[in-house]
Amino acid sequence: MPAELLDGIAVARAIRDEVAVAVAAQKARGVVPGLAVVLVGEDPASTVYVRNKGRACEEAGMHSVTIRLPDTASQAELLAVVDQLNADPAIHGMLVQMPLPKQCNADEVIRRIDPAKDVDGFHPINAGKLLIGEKDGFAPCTPAGVIELLKRYDVPTSGADVVIVGRSNIVGKPMASLLMQPGVDATVTICHSRTRELPTHTRRADILIAAIGRPKFVTADMVKPGATVIDVGINRVDEPRAKNGYVLAGDVDFAPVSAVAGKITPVPGGVGPLTIAMLLKSTLVAASRVRVA
Ligand code: NDP
């Protein structure tokens, strides 16, 4: 029997609808949740992401601002925009779209964002709060979306063996932090490019999370029968017959793996839509922390 599909589009829709209801409640107390996105340059993928974020905000009834800087913008100009947004009371959440042009230093930019407005959860203060289990920070949106997906499909995590392939600061590490927290209670293994005998780890997983950035890397022989497989990967693969000249592929070899797995996320339509939904949710949370006189 093929694996059950975990429908990220439907879960994201449900989250966005819940956020829209809560936004109306915030407005009733005089706070309009506001998200600012800063885009430096014209990277085509980033431009699409930023446009989608703006649209999703507006659809949820939020205030949305997009600030575009040319790809020649200096670090000082970018930091000045961050300072301005930090001071703007109409903005509760902000993010600077990555990657940045090479004259800009992403680490310095992330550290300049007020942690209370860092809805991407990349500031070291928020990374630390996540690790030690303090609830007043922000978790990065993609791993937070994976947790929502697991919860809403009743995938048991308590005591489950979860193997994450990938140790980036935006996916793998925060994913591990979220999964090991009390209440989620997974037993977590993180693998990376120096891991020996990778399949011996992945085959133990009740839940296998792939965040590698290599199309179809996870093959059927790497998956325990009945496991839940979460594919975070979004890779562009050249396809001359496709309209744009490429198709999107995950890190999991979908068809053969879905013959072995119990549950699986598709790409597209799995984890991807959850990222924006969780960004809206974090912005709402940021706004709800604002005290009104
Ligand atoms: P990174 O490139 O930052 O990290 C990739 C990780 O995979 C690294 O830890 C790397 O190990 C590991 N890796 C690479 N090759 C191997 C290998 N042969 N064996 C084992 N591990 C390996 O990627 P990201 O975490 O930023 O993104 C991962 C994927 O998720 C990408 O496809 C990206 O597009 C997608 N993504 C999707 C999002 C969404 O909204 N759904 C959001 C963010 C990312 P090492 O550290 O040793 O180099």
Side-chain angles (χ1 to χ4, degrees), residues 1-283:
M1 203 172 60
E4 178 190 358
L5 273 189
L6 302 179
D7 184 346
I9 296 174
V11 171
R13 180 73 269 156
I15 294 168
R16 287 167 62 165
D17 289 347
E18 290 159 17
V19 167
V21 171
V23 165
Q26 287 300 318
K27 285 180 168 171
R29 72 171 191 116
V31 178
V32 182
L35 175 70
V37 179
V38 183
L39 176 62
V40 187
E42 282 164 16
D43 176 70
S46 296
T47 305
V48 173
Y49 291 144
V50 167
R51 191 169 54 225
N52 290 344
K53 285 169 186 171
R55 280 185 189 152
C57 268
E58 282 158 18
E59 191 207 275
M62 292 180 170
H63 171 54
S64 162
V65 176
T66 303
I67 295 173
R68 292 168 199 276
L69 296 177
D71 64 3
T72 52
S74 68
Q75 178 78 352
E77 285 169 310
L78 179 53
L79 292 176
V81 168
V82 171
D83 289 344
Q84 195 190 325
L85 295 169
N86 280 340
D88 186 343
I91 297 301
H92 304 98
M94 79 160 102
L95 65 90
V96 177
Q97 185 68 42
M98 302 292 163
L100 292 174
K102 53 183 178 312
Q103 74 276 13
C104 296
N105 177 336
D107 287 344
E108 190 187 11
V109 171
I110 289 167
R111 282 165 174 73
R112 190 71 156 244
I113 296 172
D114 178 350
K117 296 190 177 188
D118 168 42
V119 284
D120 251 348
F122 295 162
H123 192 290
I125 294 226
N126 283 319
K129 285 187 173 189
L130 175 61
L131 190 63
I132 65 177
E134 280 188 14
K135 304 279 186 228
D136 62 345
F138 294 103
C141 299
T142 301
V146 171
I147 296 287
E148 280 293 325
L149 190 68
L150 295 173
K151 276 191 187 149
R152 291 179 191 233
Y153 273 95
D154 292 323
V155 177
T157 53
S158 181
D161 270 320
V162 182
V163 176
I164 304 165
V165 189
R167 59 173 165 180
S168 73
N169 289 339
I170 64 168
V171 187
K173 283 181 200 158
M175 189 77 254
S177 291
L178 285 164
L179 284 160
M180 73 173 82
Q181 293 305 320
V184 185
D185 297 316
T187 304
V188 184
T189 303
I190 288 216
C191 301
H192 45 77
S193 65
R194 303 300 167 97
T195 298
R196 273 184 273 136
E197 308 285 346
L198 181 65
T200 62
H201 293 283
T202 59
R203 273 197 293 266
R204 275 193 301 104
D206 301 312
I207 302 172
L208 175 59
I209 301 177
I212 309 159
R214 295 185 176 220
K216 301 188 177 186
F217 182 90
V218 174
T219 48
D221 57 314
M222 295 168 74
V223 176
K224 177 162 95 173
T228 295
V229 178
I230 306 289
D231 189 352
V232 179
I234 302 178
N235 307 291
R236 286 185 176 193
V237 178
D238 291 341
E239 172 51 72
R241 285 167 298 177
K243 200 173 82 188
N244 303 325
Y246 66 86
V247 290
L248 292 181
D251 289 346
V252 173
D253 195 4
F254 182 81
V257 170
S258 56
V260 177
K263 296 184 170 65
I264 190 166
T265 58
V267 175
V271 175
L274 292 165
T275 301
I276 289 187
M278 296 311 288
L279 178 68
L280 300 187
K281 195 167 177 180
S282 290
T283 304

